Amino acid sequence: MKYLLYGANGYTAQLIIKQSLKLGLQPVLAGRNKEKIEKVANEFKLPFQVFSLEDAQEIQSHLKDFEVCLNAAGPFSKTALPMALACIAGKTHYLDITGEVSVFEDLKALGAAALKAGVMLLPGAGFDVVPSDCLANYLKEKMPEATALELAFTSIGGALSHGTATTMVESLGEGGMTRENDQLKKVHLAHKHKRIDFGPFSRSMATIPWGDISTAYTSTGIPNIDVYTSIPLNVVYLLKFQSLFNPILRTDLVRNIAQKWVDKNLYGPNEEANKKGRSFLYGKVSNGQKDHEAILECVEGYFLTALCSVAITKRILEKDFKPGYQTPAIAYGWQFILEMDGSKIKDV
C-alpha cells in the first residue's frame, strides 16, 4: 500500500500523512526542499525523496516504483501539468488537491492520453472539489433536465493554510470566472452576490472562480454554473471595482509583499479546529421553470481533504479506478462523500 506524496512538507500534506498511516498506507514523502522533507520524514519515520519538477525524465525516474502519485504541492498551476505528464508517461495514476479552474482544464485536455496509458487523472481529490462535485451530481440526479447550477460553500471554525493563501496570492488581479452556455467566461470577482440560507445560519455570498466551474460541467453537463463563497457585503462592493486595480495587483511588488505576509502569519487551523470545524455546501439546480435545492454538511475542509484524498488513493491501490480524466463523482458516484465521517445531505 505504498504511494508517492509530493509536497509532503505542507500543512495539508501532514494531515494526509496521518490519515494514510491510520488506514495502513505508507506514503513515500517527496518534495523540492531536502531540509523540509527530511524533517517531516524523520518526524513520521517514513522514507523520502527529493526532486524538482523541472526535468521530465527525472520526475519519471522517481515515479517508476509507484502506482499512485498524490500531488499536494501548490500552487498547482505550476506543479500539476509537469507531474501529470510524467505520470502518464510512466503509467502512474495522478491525484491532486487543487481547486484551480485552469488546472482542471489543462488536465482534462490530457484525458485521451491518460486513457490510452490506462491511468486515472483525478485532480481535486480534496475539499476542492469532492463535496461540491458530489452535491452537483446529487442535484443533477434530482433534476436531469437542469440548465443552471449554483454551488456555495462556507464554514464554521477553521482557518486558511499557508498553501491555500499562496495560491490566492498567485491569483491576485486575475478577476473572476463563470460558466455560461457551456463556455468559460471571464467576469469580475463577485459579479453576483446574494444571501444564502445554510439551515443553522445564513451568510452573504459572492461568486468566485472556483474549480467546479470546470468539474461540475464535466460531471453533470449543466451549461450554466456559478460558485459562491462567504464574502461580507461591504467587501463585495469593493470587489466590483477591482478591475481598476488589477494591473497593480498583478505586479511582482504587490504579490511579493502579500506572500511575505502569508509566510509570516499563516499555517492553518490547529488540531482542535480540524475536529470541531464544520463545512457547509449549498446547491441549487434550475430548469427555467422550477428549482431544487440541497445542503451538504461535512467536517472541516482541510481535514476533509485528508479523508477524501487518502480514501481515493486507497481505492486506486486496491484497483478501483477509471482510466482517463475523471472528477470525483464520475469516478466514485455522488454517494462517495457520504462515506466520509460526519457528512450528511438534505433537500431544502
Side-chain angles (χ1 to χ4, degrees), residues 133 136-137 140 149 215-222 225 330:
D133 195 46
N137 282 268
K140 173 69 173 181
L149 168 68
T215 52
Y217 176 71
T218 300
S219 58
T220 69
I222 296 174
I225 302 172
I330 291 177

Side-chain angles (χ1 to χ4, degrees), residues 3 5-23 25 27-30 33 35-46 70-73 97 161-163 266-271 274 300 302-307 309-310:
Y3 74 96
L5 176 61
Y6 194 79
N9 56 290
Y11 170 80
T12 307
Q14 293 183 52
L15 296 178
I16 289 170
I17 293 168
K18 293 175 183 177
Q19 180 65 12
S20 295
L21 296 176
K22 182 178 178 181
L23 295 187
L25 278 64
V28 175
L29 312 186
N33 187 304
E35 182 180 353
K36 292 180 179 180
I37 292 297
E38 188 171 17
K39 180 180 178 182
V40 177
N42 289 338
E43 178 184 348
F44 290 99
K45 296 179 173 58
L46 290 169
L70 172 52
N71 179 15
I97 53 174
S161 76
H162 178 273
L266 294 181
Y267 182 70
N270 58 30
E271 187 174 350
N274 285 147
E300 185 274 330
Y302 292 104
F303 185 43
L304 184 64
T305 291
L307 295 181
S309 59
V310 174

Side-chain angles (χ1 to χ4, degrees), residues 37-82:
I37 292 297
E38 188 171 17
K39 180 180 178 182
V40 177
N42 289 338
E43 178 184 348
F44 290 99
K45 296 179 173 58
L46 290 169
F48 70 95
Q49 300 181 6
V50 179
F51 62 97
S52 72
L53 301 181
E54 296 174 0
D55 183 88
Q57 293 299 319
E58 182 183 13
I59 303 171
Q60 289 177 43
S61 71
H62 286 277
L63 289 172
K64 61 184 176 63
D65 295 326
F66 299 97
E67 291 184 53
V68 181
C69 172
L70 172 52
N71 179 15
F76 296 94
S77 57
K78 295 182 178 179
T79 67
L81 197 55

Side-chain angles (χ1 to χ4, degrees), residues 277-296:
R278 302 294 294 170
S279 302
F280 292 83
L281 296 97
Y282 162 89
K284 181 175 80 171
V285 284
S286 308
N287 64 7
Q289 296 179 324
K290 58 181 181 179
D291 304 330
H292 191 92
E293 300 169 281
I295 302 291
L296 173 61

